[in-house]
């Protein structure tokens, strides 16, 4: 149980494990996406320059998978916590699906982007909602400016989004909980080390992440089973 006092500020970091029970594969586990796809061929600026059709095949497939799933009890537990804590809860996800929003979370920071948004690779038109499939034989979509429309995803070699807001919120939190993330991808993997001096730190998941030693407490189990009832308000 994690007790939240009236003056606590909670930072939640979620990873692909939180969506696993909904049917979205993780990246590194058995059946994980990176077991079947080469990252540099489908999720990097190099891939986009070399073969954008292959990149869109990959993200169209991921859109199709994500469109067919529903939030699980872990997403609902976090949405419920947001209703109780308001802006004392900060939900930062590495996930690009929209299952937190579907469960009712209203203020989700997607540091690795959003699967159902696209943007121009050339002009500064803001990212826009897009659930289309551009799987071949479909053409690669183009912007009015002539640039190519790309997924609104942070690829390997790119900088995650909204990091200023993430780091300032990390500086203020008194409780930090990471859920369903293996602790290997930076900068998210180092968030726990940054808050360790001023926040209580917790990890939830069926396996120990590589950075488990930095956490104060490890709750072993699937997020959908552990999260409901885990947080108790004082
Ligand atoms: P990983 O595939 O590296 O780790 C998934 C974690 O989820 C593992 O630690 C599993 O033990 C855990 N897990 C599996 N089932 C779970 C369940 N039911 N409940 C809770 N945890 C469970 O995925 P991430 O850590 O999310 O980035 O990966 C981080 C980033 O690497 C992703 O955002 C993505 C990827 O490359 C980009 O694409 C930029």
């Amino acid at each position: 149980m994690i007790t939240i006092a009236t003056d606590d500020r909670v930072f939640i970091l979620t990873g692909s494990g939180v969506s696993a029970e909904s049917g979205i594969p993780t990246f590194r586990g058995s059946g994980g996406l990176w077991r079947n796809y080469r990252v540099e061929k489908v999720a990097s600026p190099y891939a986009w320059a070399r073969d954008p059709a292959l990149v869109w095949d990959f993200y169209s497939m991921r859109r199709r998978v994500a469109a067919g799933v529903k939030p699980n009890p872990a997403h609902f537990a976090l949405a419920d916590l947001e209703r109780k804590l308001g802006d004392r809860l900060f939900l930062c996800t590495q996930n690009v699906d929209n299952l937190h929003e579907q469960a009712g979370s209203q203020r989700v920071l997607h540091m690795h982007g959003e699967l159902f948004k696209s943007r121009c690779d050339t002009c500064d038109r803001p990212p826009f909602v897009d659930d289309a499939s551009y799987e071949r034989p479909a053409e690669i979509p183009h912007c009015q400016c002539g640039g190519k429309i790309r997924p609104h995803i942070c690829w390997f070699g790119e900088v995650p989004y909204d990091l200023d807001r993430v780091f300032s919120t990390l500086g203020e939190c008194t409780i930090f909980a990471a859920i369903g993330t293996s602790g290997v991808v930076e900068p998210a993997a180092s968030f726990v080390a940054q808050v360790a001096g001023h926040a209580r730190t917790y990890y939830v998941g069926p396996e120990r992440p590589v950075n488990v030693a930095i956490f104060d407490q490890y709750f072993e189990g699937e997020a959908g089973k552990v999260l409901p009832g885990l947080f108790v308000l004082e």
Side-chain angles (χ1 to χ4, degrees), residues 14-22 24-29 32-34 39 43 58-59 62 72 74 93-96 111-113 153-158 160 179-186 188 203-210 218 221-226:
T14 61
S16 58
V18 88
S19 296
E21 289 157 83
S22 293
I24 297 186
T26 61
F27 292 94
R28 296 173 181 79
L33 273 184
W34 297 153
V39 176
F58 176 67
Y59 284 99
R62 290 187 60 191
N72 67 58
T93 187
Q94 298 167 86
N95 299 344
V96 297
M111 64 179 287
H112 289 166
I153 298 284
C154 171
W155 287 325
F156 284 84
E158 297 185 321
I179 303 156
T181 177
S182 57
V184 298
V185 173
E186 296 292 355
Y203 181 79
V204 178
E207 297 156 318
R208 291 168 189 272
V210 298
Y218 168 44
E222 295 181 323
K225 304 209 171 54
V226 176

Side-chain angles (χ1 to χ4, degrees), residues 18 26 46 50 63 75-76 86 92 105 107 110 113-114 117 124 158 161 168-169 191 205 216:
V18 88
T26 61
Y46 164 77
R50 189 174 157 271
R63 281 184 179 179
H75 299 105
F76 287 113
C92 174
S105 288
R107 297 185 313 275
H110 286 271
E114 294 178 70
K117 286 188 180 171
D124 55 8
E158 297 185 321
Y161 308 121
S168 72
T169 314
F191 289 174
D216 294 325

Side-chain angles (χ1 to χ4, degrees), residues 24-148:
I24 297 186
T26 61
F27 292 94
R28 296 173 181 79
S30 63
L33 273 184
W34 297 153
R35 302 274 177 122
N36 299 312
Y37 293 89
R38 298 258 308 269
V39 176
E40 67 278 12
K41 292 208 164 159
V42 293
S44 70
Y46 164 77
W48 185 244
R50 189 174 157 271
D51 193 348
L54 179 64
V55 173
W56 265 125
D57 281 348
F58 176 67
Y59 284 99
S60 298
M61 175 278 290
R62 290 187 60 191
R63 281 184 179 179
R64 196 173 56 243
V65 171
V69 302
K70 294 274 175 260
N72 67 58
H75 299 105
F76 287 113
L78 293 173
D80 184 49
L81 192 61
E82 182 188 271
R83 273 191 292 279
K84 291 173 176 153
L85 294 180
D87 63 7
R88 290 197 293 128
L89 177 80
F90 190 81
L91 177 53
C92 174
T93 187
Q94 298 167 86
N95 299 344
V96 297
D97 64 56
N98 61 8
L99 293 177
H100 284 305
E101 288 89 344
Q102 279 193 49
S105 288
Q106 300 200 352
R107 297 185 313 275
V108 186
L109 191 149
H110 286 271
M111 64 179 287
H112 289 166
E114 294 178 70
L115 193 52
F116 294 108
K117 286 188 180 171
S118 299
R119 70 175 197 260
C120 179
D121 72 354
T122 304
C123 73
D124 55 8
R125 167 187 177 188
F128 57 93
V129 173
D130 183 12
D131 62 3
S133 167
Y134 303 109
E135 223 152 350
R136 281 174 285 191
E139 297 289 320
I140 292 163
H142 281 82
C143 178
Q144 286 164 351
C145 81
K148 292 193 290 298

Side-chain angles (χ1 to χ4, degrees), residues 183-200:
V184 298
V185 173
E186 296 292 355
S190 293
F191 289 174
V192 61
Q194 292 183 27
V195 303
H198 61 264
R200 289 178 280 147

